[in-house]
Amino acid sequence: MSNLETALFIRKVKLKMCLMVLLSISEIAIGGQHYPANPYMACVAVSKEVLLDENLRTENHSPETVGITQNEKAQLGGEVSIVRSLVIDGNESFSEQQIRELMKTDVWGVYNETVLKSDLEAITRFYRENGYRFARVDEEQVSVKKFVDGVYLGIEVDEGRVGNIIVTGNIRTKEDVIRRELLFMEGDIYTEADREESEQILRRKTYIGAAKVDAQWDERSKSVTIHVTVRELLSFPLGGDLNLNNQKRYWLLQFRDPNLFGSGQSTLWRYERITEVGEKTRSLVRGRYSNPRLFNSHWNFDGEYIQKREGDSLVVLLERPQYTLKSRWSANVRFSESVNPIYWYENAKKTDTFEQNLQGTFANVRRYFGDRQQQNYIGLWAASRRSKYVLLEKSSASDATLESRDIKRIGFTLGRQRIAYHKARFLRRMGQEENFLAGSQYALSLGYASPLYASDRSESYAELALGSGWMNGNRFFNLTTFAFSTNFTTRVERSILQAQTAWFYTDVFNTGDLYTLETGFRENGLFDFHQTFVAQFKTEMQFGWSGHSQVLLGAFDGLRGYAYRQFSGEKMMLLSLESRTIFGGTVFREIDEALAAVATAIARPFSDRRVHLGVMLSGIVFADIGYIWNGQHTFDLARPKRSVGFGLRSSLSQFSGTGILRVEFAFPLDPPFSPSFKPRIFYGQERTF
């Protein structure tokens, strides 16, 4: 006997016992007389012998309707049957009350097969509208037992469980490393939201360039079969890198593996030698190790050690992130200690050199409330930051008066987020799949520092942070962030405002996907292209920080055509416009195939895998316009810092961590460089498109 039939039987026996008690009480109350004019009395006057004989014969579980008395027929109106019991089973995701509200069939109502069928369709439709794509209630899963006193119904909901998970495309990565990132396993209930978010989690991995999770219903096993397909990125553990541009150059030797032995862990050991215009050559040794699933949990460990001439630096992070939007809490602990050179600039020249000794500790825990689409959260945090500055060199007069502090704060954060991720291409990366955040995030943090817990003074702290992502179709995207923080006692002392927004209009001529990691360049004529327009605006404004901090503007910050740190002040704005054209077609497809053949031959002694480089080439034209000012030099709209130019960008899309090679020719249009046709050349490697 199944669980559903057992439940029906128990409920039926309980109902009969209640009816027998009612019959006995009624006979005592009315002295055994019948009152057919009263429907209740007509019901209780039914012979107990007939009731027991006809209604408790459940051994054969006959679905056929047994005979009922003439009095019952008269009261029920002929062959009408009453629903005496309704048992719903298999519903783990929604309560029985939620499902009953979808149905017209109910206990003590009239049984109608057509209405019941409509109810089953309503239940299935409700599940699928909520993302349970394979949920169903088949008629063969419905138990209908007809007896003399009515109909006993049993409905079993199949919410669609995962039966088998098949992983393909993982050449180096272990299968269990891929499986553990999925939000379901065999036996779990399948939902579309889990599938979509599992794809996003896989795409965030630095060793995966593309990921796809498909689901199909297996009629034989009556379960959902999951197909996970990943495209791994190549990486060479041993290598060197020569990164050059007209303002800064460095070379390095490194051992780097973003997917150590296919475990998902990463490690980096690097020797770097850095030379920057106007600065002494620096050498450093860097070691880093990251384990995203410490002891097979959701805790992440990330540690980095840097040895350099000024002093050693150490960063240790232990974090349990909100790895999925279903997660209800997150926490992190961060410790850092470093010795860094700090430079002060006036009119593009270094005037002061400080040594900064910095120690910091931060701990935070958050609790989330809500559903997957929309959440509120509250967090408690504690922060300690001890900074000490020592003046090492002063070449000319300046306003620099960096202040040593020992500040310790405790506080709380209130936030709200509505997040969804969508797959995109050619926004920040060249060829690889990207996660685009669509939605909004808001957070307000309040903190207080006090000598009671060893802070150097009492002060309050407040920060408001906003972030939003918006998209229209698959071609128009916007990302915006805003942060405002302030320190205050009896008055506001120091504040910082930072804001940034980026607008992307991709595939301007609606030509479709030019390139994918799985198939390479599409066949669409001798030459093909993909056009994107980008507009980016950012600003930083400091209030009350004169002499303690400064804002810089130059090639380092995106104002191409000028020196790395050409301008300094307290406030700045920068607008950049770009037109990007990614090239494709048969010509580039043949070039990519030829380079792949050469790379495969070179790698043959080490690997049998065919090596695809995924060479991408893009041409750009751009225009930059910036403003910078401070308390002594107020904002003047007529004094912009402008430049225009063009360039090329290239990337190996099939490799992890290669970055984007840039060669750009920029023409400054404003002092200190007079407008001319002599460009300033920038060449180097960047991490984003």
Side-chain angles (χ1 to χ4, degrees):
M1 182 180 293
S2 67
N3 293 336
L4 185 60
E5 292 175 333
T6 301
L8 283 170
F9 176 76
I10 293 174
R11 185 171 293 193
K12 190 174 189 300
V13 170
K14 288 181 179 179
L15 182 60
K16 300 309 139 188
M17 293 176 66
C18 293
L19 289 174
M20 289 177 63
V21 173
L22 286 174
L23 286 170
S24 300
I25 295 174
S26 64
E27 288 183 353
I28 295 173
I30 64 178
Q33 300 182 22
H34 297 274
Y35 295 85
N38 187 326
Y40 172 76
M41 296 305 174
C43 178
V44 300
V46 179
S47 169
K48 285 190 292 182
E49 289 78 6
V50 174
L51 183 66
L52 288 172
D53 182 57
E54 297 292 334
N55 295 337
L56 293 181
R57 289 185 296 175
T58 60
E59 289 79 3
N60 57 3
H61 303 289
S62 173
E64 298 179 359
T65 305
V66 298
I68 56 178
T69 63
Q70 294 296 324
N71 286 339
E72 286 178 310
K73 288 184 179 181
Q75 296 298 324
L76 296 177
E79 297 295 331
V80 175
S81 297
I82 301 299
V83 177
R84 296 292 187 177
S85 175
L86 175 59
V87 177
I88 300 175
D89 195 20
N91 54 307
E92 294 185 11
S93 304
F94 299 97
S95 67
E96 183 173 333
Q97 181 62 32
Q98 287 177 285
I99 296 178
R100 284 178 178 269
E101 290 176 354
L102 302 171
M103 304 175 61
K104 295 181 180 179
T105 302
D106 202 357
V107 177
W108 305 114
V110 176
Y111 171 71
N112 186 295
E113 291 185 2
T114 303
V115 174
L116 178 61
K117 185 176 181 180
S118 176
D119 290 340
L120 302 183
E121 294 174 353
I123 295 172
T124 301
R125 185 167 57 252
F126 170 77
Y127 266 90
R128 296 188 177 182
E129 288 174 353
N130 283 277
Y132 295 77
R133 175 181 163 191
F134 299 104
R136 62 193 63 208
V137 186
D138 296 329
E139 293 187 19
E140 54 265 27
Q141 294 175 299
V142 178
S143 174
V144 180
K145 304 295 183 181
K146 297 182 180 180
F147 299 96
V148 66
D149 63 327
V151 179
Y152 292 76
L153 298 177
I155 298 176
E156 187 165 357
V157 180
D158 182 358
E159 295 184 329
R161 294 187 178 274
V162 176
N164 191 22
I165 298 177
I166 302 171
V167 179
T168 58
N170 56 313
I171 298 174
R172 188 182 179 205
T173 309
K174 298 176 182 178
E175 183 171 325
D176 65 296
V177 172
I178 302 294
R179 284 173 170 264
R180 74 186 183 187
E181 302 301 334
L182 305 178
L183 298 182
F184 40 68
M185 59 180 61
E186 285 90 345
D188 288 350
I189 297 171
Y190 172 86
T191 67
E192 280 291 289
D194 283 342
R195 181 194 65 80
E196 292 174 359
E197 194 170 358
S198 295
E199 276 190 0
Q200 296 154 14
I201 292 173
L202 289 173
R203 281 198 295 267
R204 287 200 293 263
K205 303 301 177 182
T206 58
Y207 50 88
I208 293 179
K212 187 172 183 58
V213 180
D214 288 318
Q216 295 178 342
W217 178 255
D218 187 348
E219 191 63 35
R220 294 182 61 184
S221 63
K222 300 295 183 182
S223 63
V224 182
T225 298
I226 304 295
H227 295 270
V228 182
T229 306
V230 297
R231 180 75 177 189
E232 291 182 341
L233 297 177
L234 297 172
S235 65
F236 293 113
L238 295 175
D241 191 3
L242 182 62
N243 194 338
L244 304 173
N245 60 60
N246 61 322
Q247 296 288 319
K248 178 181 179 181
R249 57 185 56 87
Y250 76 86
W251 64 270
L252 62 87
L253 296 174
Q254 69 175 3
F255 171 83
R256 174 184 176 272
D257 195 340
N259 188 12
L260 190 63
F261 305 120
S263 65
Q265 304 172 28
S266 66
T267 186
L268 170 68
W269 297 95
R270 171 185 292 179
Y271 172 77
E272 298 180 57
R273 190 171 179 86
I274 305 170
T275 302
E276 189 174 332
V277 174
E279 306 293 344
K280 296 179 180 179
T281 299
R282 295 180 292 149
S283 299
L284 58 90
V285 177
R286 182 193 306 266
R288 184 172 184 177
Y289 171 75
S290 177
N291 187 342
R293 300 295 289 270
L294 193 63
F295 304 121
N296 206 30
S297 69
H298 287 290
W299 283 91
N300 167 37
F301 173 84
D302 199 342
E304 183 177 55
Y305 172 78
I306 303 175
Q307 185 183 61
K308 50 189 176 181
R309 183 183 66 245
E310 297 84 6
D312 298 345
S313 298
L314 176 67
V315 178
V316 177
L317 172 66
L318 184 62
E319 178 185 30
R320 187 191 189 278
Q322 191 191 17
Y323 65 96
T324 168
L325 296 177
K326 296 193 299 183
S327 179
R328 291 302 179 207
W329 68 282
S330 65
N332 71 76
V333 178
R334 178 187 176 93
F335 170 79
S336 64
E337 184 172 352
S338 63
V339 179
N340 306 299
I342 302 297
Y343 305 112
W344 191 273
Y345 294 88
E346 298 283 354
N347 300 319
K349 295 182 179 181
K350 184 179 65 175
T351 60
D352 301 84
T353 301
F354 295 86
E355 180 184 84
Q356 179 197 56
N357 289 269
L358 181 63
Q359 294 178 345
T361 304
F362 180 80
N364 175 47
V365 61
R366 286 182 179 179
R367 179 70 168 86
Y368 299 87
F369 307 89
D371 55 27
R372 204 172 205 146
Q373 287 73 36
Q374 187 167 281
Q375 297 177 335
N376 300 321
Y377 61 86
I378 182 171
L380 300 176
W381 54 267
S384 172
R385 188 177 190 274
R386 183 178 182 180
S387 58
K388 183 179 180 180
Y389 296 94
V390 178
L391 180 62
L392 299 179
E393 182 182 349
K394 190 175 186 68
S395 59
S396 59
S398 69
D399 296 329
T401 56
L402 302 189
E403 181 182 13
S404 299
R405 293 293 308 273
D406 187 2
I407 191 76
K408 295 177 174 62
R409 300 189 185 103
I410 59 173
F412 66 91
T413 299
L414 298 175
R416 181 180 179 85
Q417 60 184 19
R418 180 176 55 84
I419 299 177
Y421 291 95
H422 297 271
K423 183 171 70 173
R425 293 182 190 274
F426 305 121
L427 300 182
R428 301 292 188 185
R429 306 166 74 179
M430 293 184 70
Q432 300 166 6
E433 293 180 350
E434 307 175 43
N435 283 334
F436 178 81
L437 185 151
S440 57
Q441 297 174 299
Y442 314 91
L444 173 65
S445 295
L446 299 175
Y448 184 71
S450 171
L452 292 176
Y453 31 90
S455 182
D456 58 6
R457 69 167 187 168
S458 297
E459 70 174 24
S460 299
Y461 171 81
E463 180 180 12
L464 176 65
L466 311 175
S468 70
W470 175 84
M471 59 184 297
N472 185 4
N474 293 318
R475 300 166 63 189
F476 204 8
F477 301 85
N478 168 253
L479 281 173
T480 300
T481 59
F482 172 90
F484 178 79
S485 61
T486 182
N487 301 331
F488 57 95
T489 52
T490 56
R491 61 183 179 83
V492 175
E493 295 185 348
R494 299 172 181 172
S495 303
I496 298 178
L497 184 150
Q498 294 175 312
Q500 185 169 349
T501 184
W503 296 82
F504 302 88
Y505 183 32
T506 67
D507 197 10
V508 175
F509 300 102
N510 198 23
T511 58
D513 277 341
L514 174 89
Y515 175 88
T516 65
L517 294 182
E518 298 85 357
T519 61
F521 289 98
R522 67 185 177 188
E523 296 183 3
N524 190 31
L526 194 62
F527 291 98
D528 197 4
F529 65 94
H530 181 282
Q531 189 77 26
T532 299
F533 291 148
V534 184
Q536 300 183 81
F537 172 82
K538 66 178 180 180
T539 182
E540 180 175 351
M541 300 184 185
Q542 297 182 354
F543 305 89
W545 287 87
S546 179
H548 302 290
S549 179
Q550 63 179 175
V551 175
L552 301 174
L553 181 62
F556 182 81
D557 304 283
L559 183 61
R560 288 159 286 195
Y562 295 86
Y564 234 37
R565 300 175 179 89
Q566 184 73 56
F567 307 102
S568 58
E570 296 178 7
K571 304 171 181 65
M572 75 88 173
M573 294 189 301
L574 177 64
L575 173 65
S576 297
L577 305 175
E578 287 187 356
S579 175
R580 304 171 179 173
T581 304
I582 298 178
F583 304 112
T586 303
V587 171
F588 286 90
R589 184 182 184 92
E590 293 298 327
I591 293 174
D592 189 43
E593 289 295 331
L595 292 174
V598 174
T600 302
I602 295 174
R604 184 65 63 192
F606 310 99
S607 174
D608 294 332
R609 178 181 179 182
R610 180 171 173 79
V611 179
H612 286 277
L613 301 180
V615 178
M616 305 290 296
L617 184 66
S618 172
I620 68 162
V621 294
F622 62 85
D624 300 329
I625 178 171
Y627 290 90
I628 189 163
W629 69 101
N630 54 31
Q632 287 73 38
H633 302 87
T634 57
F635 177 78
D636 187 352
L637 187 63
R639 298 181 62 185
K641 316 299 180 185
R642 297 167 296 176
S643 67
V644 295
F646 61 91
L648 293 173
R649 294 176 187 173
S650 181
S651 177
L652 302 180
S653 62
Q654 297 281 356
F655 280 77
S656 171
T658 55
I660 297 175
L661 180 65
R662 296 185 177 203
V663 179
E664 296 174 346
F665 299 83
F667 299 84
L669 303 179
D670 294 290
F673 304 102
S674 59
S676 69
F677 291 101
K678 183 179 180 180
R680 293 175 64 87
I681 303 174
F682 175 88
Y683 47 92
Q685 191 177 27
E686 302 293 335
R687 296 305 174 191
T688 59
F689 197 179

